[in-house]
Amino acid sequence: MDLVLLGDGPLSASIERHRKVLGLDRCVHLPGFKQYDELPLYYALAGAFVHASVSEPWGLVVNEAMASGLPIIVSKKCGCVPDLLAEGRNGFSFAPEDVNRLADLLLQMAALPDVEREHMARASREIIAYWSVERFANGLRSAVRAAECAPRRKIQPSAKLLLSSLIFARRTKPTMFARASCWI
C-alpha cells in the first residue's frame, strides 16, 4: 500500500529529501496542496485516512474522510477524536510526538485484511451519519428556543460601560481591531 501525503508547508523540502535518500519515490507520493474540489478523488482512492496534526481544534477533513467511508488514524491533539473515533472500531488514535506508535498504526492498517478494513469503513460511515446537517439544525433550533425562554438578565453598569467603550474604540480606531476580529 502506498502513502500519499497531501499538503504543503515548511517541511515539504525536507520530506522530499528524506523520501529520495530512503529510496521511497515509488511508494510515497507528494502531490502537494490540493483544492477542496480535488479531495474526493483522493478519498476515493484511499484505503485509510491519517490526520497527524500536532494541534487541531476539530479537523473537518476527518469528517470528510469518514463520510467517504475510510478507516481513520487521527492524532489525539485533534478535537474531533472524542466524538468521531471509536478506538479499534473505525480507526485508531496516537500522540503526534509518538512516531513509533504512528508507524505501528500505519503498518497495522496496511496489513488489515480487506474485510476488516471494510468493517472499519462501515463504522466510519455509521458514526459520521449521526453528525448530519439535520442534527445540527435541530440543535441550533433547540439552542434558539432555550435562549428565547431564558429569563433576561439585567446587564451590570460596568458591563455596559465596557461594551460602550469597545464600540466607541472600534468606530474611532478600526485598524486597531482589524486583526483582533479573528479571535474576538
Side-chain angles (χ1 to χ4, degrees):
M1 184 178 287
D2 287 8
L3 178 64
V4 178
L5 298 173
L6 293 183
D8 198 8
L11 296 177
S12 295
S14 176
I15 293 169
E16 177 64 37
R17 276 193 307 280
H18 281 86
R19 181 179 80 130
K20 287 184 181 190
V21 167
L22 296 171
L24 299 174
D25 294 41
R26 292 183 184 215
C27 60
V28 176
H29 310 278
L30 306 170
F33 174 80
K34 295 297 172 189
Q35 294 294 332
Y36 183 75
D37 63 340
E38 298 174 278
L39 296 180
L41 174 65
Y42 288 92
Y43 291 135
L45 295 173
F49 178 78
V50 180
H51 193 48
S53 65
V54 294
S55 175
E56 183 78 55
W58 180 262
L60 191 57
V61 292
V62 178
N63 296 58
E64 295 166 359
M66 290 173 65
S68 298
L70 293 174
I72 57 175
I73 299 174
V74 184
S75 161
K76 291 179 181 180
K77 299 288 184 172
C78 192
C80 69
V81 167
D83 296 306
L84 299 183
L85 178 68
E87 193 75 39
R89 182 170 168 241
N90 72 320
F92 307 99
S93 64
F94 64 98
E97 60 278 355
D98 189 348
V99 176
N100 292 328
R101 170 79 173 146
L102 176 55
D104 289 344
L105 290 174
L106 289 169
L107 291 171
Q108 182 179 344
M109 188 64 76
L112 279 178
D114 290 342
V115 168
E116 286 184 46
R117 195 175 304 110
E118 183 50 43
H119 286 298
M120 293 180 105
R122 191 174 311 114
S124 279
R125 285 189 295 270
E126 289 169 3
I127 291 166
I128 203 63
Y130 177 71
W131 295 88
S132 67
V133 172
E134 291 79 16
R135 179 173 182 254
F136 172 79
N138 290 335
L140 181 59
R141 186 180 307 115
S142 295
V144 167
R145 285 184 183 145
E148 288 174 337
C149 295
R152 304 276 186 230
R153 293 189 305 182
K154 187 173 180 174
I155 299 175
Q156 298 294 322
S158 59
K160 283 184 182 180
L161 180 61
L162 176 61
L163 184 57
S164 296
S165 299
L166 287 171
I167 291 169
F168 177 75
R170 186 169 181 134
R171 286 183 185 152
T172 58
K173 297 178 185 171
T175 56
M176 181 173 131
F177 289 89
R179 289 174 52 196
S181 63
C182 295
W183 50 267
I184 285 177

